[in-house]
């Protein structure tokens, strides 16, 4: 299968996430927190993919209608250098204000609710993160930063931030003095009172030191992650919207009490990896499908993230929805999409087998694996 650049990025990201988990398990004997990892991978990336497109389109719109033509008149090398530094400064203030302004925190909190620090945490985000990020980088379009430079530089910075969530690197030597490293970012995610609202930078350490928010990692301080005072959930619908509803003083529908059904975490892990593989498949093939096919497959994959989240929260409705999606997607792929490529067949075959196994667990559970609601 030939991969476009976006799909290839997702493949590399998934490979690094899984490789790190295997190293942590085999070398450090750290159990894999599959529910947390799968939420991180499927926290809404099929929807985030759309909103990232909205962000890029909005940037292009500003370039067309509000461009002051300052940066685009500079030498190309100066444009790239400016973009690298300016985007990182915009990110710093975007990140800092997402911790300070209640509405923005209601969006950003999803990223901090992860209780395990690893590469998968680097891709855990709210559905709306690209939308609330845009006001902070819009100035770059007004100044005339070319669109292609914006896309490449922002992607580069996001890659650095992905790396900064890894659990394998302790200290980074000289880089700890000039860049945001895993050591600095562990502090940002830590729940110790000395670590709260510190180290907002994305790539360069300059901004935290310049604006007084830097805090080095302290010896002897136990690192704990998550958000104090919140009830953990692995359902992206609740995670991305619960705090927003609270900010709006509205009551979020309570789906959490409707039936209980448990499955092993590894079952959820396998299902989540297959689903993320389907996200990659969608990103790689969407241009070849009709609008109806795109919309239907998008909706089913998105519904799969919600169903898998419900299953991770041990909800019977999540198991039933997941099984239904696992059976419906292969049928759609075979009879409507009309696709016959090898990777599509492999993904759909794995999904079908996983759904059938889920049906077996739901209706004939082993005593130690599940209970009926």
């Amino acid at each position: 299968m030939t991969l476009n650049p976006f799909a290839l990025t997702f493949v590399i990201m998934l490979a690094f996430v899984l490789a790190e988990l295997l190293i942590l398990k085999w070398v450090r004997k750290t159990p894999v927190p599959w529910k947390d990892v799968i939420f991180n991978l499927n926290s809404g990336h099929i929807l985030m993919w759309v909103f990232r497109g909205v962000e890029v389109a909005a940037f292009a719109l500003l370039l067309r209608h509000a461009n002051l033509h300052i940066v685009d008149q500079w030498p190309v090398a100066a444009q790239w250098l400016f973009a690298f530094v300016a985007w990182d400064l915009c990110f710093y203030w975007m990140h800092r204000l997402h911790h300070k302004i209640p509405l923005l925190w209601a969006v950003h909190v999803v990223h901090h609710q992860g209780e395990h620090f690893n590469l998968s945490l680097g891709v855990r985000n709210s559905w709306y993160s690209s939308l609330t990020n845009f006001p902070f980088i819009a100035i770059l379009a007004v100044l005339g930063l070319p669109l292609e430079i914006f896309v490449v530089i922002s992607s580069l910075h996001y890659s650095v931030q992905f790396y900064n969530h890894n659990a394998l690197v302790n200290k980074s030597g000289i880089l700890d003095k000039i860049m945001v490293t895993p050591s600095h970012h562990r502090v940002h995610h830590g729940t110790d009172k000395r670590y709260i609202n510190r180290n907002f930078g994305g790539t360069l350490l300059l901004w935290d030191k310049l604006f007084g928010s830097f805090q080095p990692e302290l010896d002897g301080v136990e690192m704990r992650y998550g958000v104090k005072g919140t009830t953990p959930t692995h359902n992206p619908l609740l995670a991305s919207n619960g705090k927003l509803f609270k900010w709006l003083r509205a009551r979020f529908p309570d789906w959490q009490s409707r039936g209980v059904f448990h499955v092993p975490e590894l079952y959820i892990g396998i299902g989540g990896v297959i689903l993320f593989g389907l996200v990659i498949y969608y990103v790689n093939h969407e241009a070849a499908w009709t609008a109806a096919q795109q919309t239907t497959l998008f909706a089913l994959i998105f519904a799969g993230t919600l169903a898998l989240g419900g299953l991770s929260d041990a909800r019977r409705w999540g198991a039933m929805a997941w099984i239904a999606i696992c059976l419906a997607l292969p049928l759609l792929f075979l009879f409507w999409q009309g696709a016959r490529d090898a990777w599509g067949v492999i993904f759909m075959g794995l999904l079908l087998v996983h759904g059938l196994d889920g049906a077996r667990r739901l209706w004939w559970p082993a005593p130690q694996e599940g209970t009926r609601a």
Side-chain angles (χ1 to χ4, degrees), residues 191-250:
T191 58
D192 187 276
K193 63 181 180 181
R194 287 164 288 188
Y195 291 166
I196 299 296
N197 290 334
R198 294 290 180 176
N199 297 2
F200 299 106
T203 297
L204 300 175
L205 199 59
L206 169 66
W207 315 121
D208 281 301
K209 291 194 170 183
L210 183 63
F211 299 116
S213 54
F214 177 64
Q215 170 62 57
E217 192 172 17
L218 301 173
D219 293 333
V221 176
E222 183 181 5
M223 294 301 298
R224 294 181 180 274
Y225 307 105
V227 178
K228 292 181 178 180
T230 62
T231 302
T233 178
H234 296 98
N235 190 326
L237 177 65
L238 179 59
S240 280
N241 294 281
K243 284 284 187 181
L244 285 173
F245 270 67
K246 185 175 181 180
W247 182 83
L248 293 168
R249 301 184 184 279

Side-chain angles (χ1 to χ4, degrees), residues 1 273-278 280-281 330 342-352:
M1 177 173 60
V273 171
I274 295 171
L275 187 66
F276 195 79
L278 285 173
I280 296 171
Y281 186 82
W343 283 106
V345 170
I346 290 171
F347 278 128
M348 293 302 171
L350 291 173
L351 191 68
L352 179 61

Side-chain angles (χ1 to χ4, degrees), residues 140-178:
L140 301 180
V142 174
L143 291 175
L145 181 68
L147 181 63
E148 62 274 13
I149 296 180
F150 163 72
V151 171
V152 172
I153 288 296
S154 60
S155 299
L156 174 63
H157 280 294
Y158 286 138
S159 297
V160 173
Q161 292 171 33
F162 173 67
Y163 164 79
N164 284 339
H165 288 84
N166 86 76
L168 300 176
V169 174
N170 184 18
K171 298 293 184 179
S172 302
I174 188 65
L175 292 180
D176 284 327
K177 299 184 181 299
I178 59 176

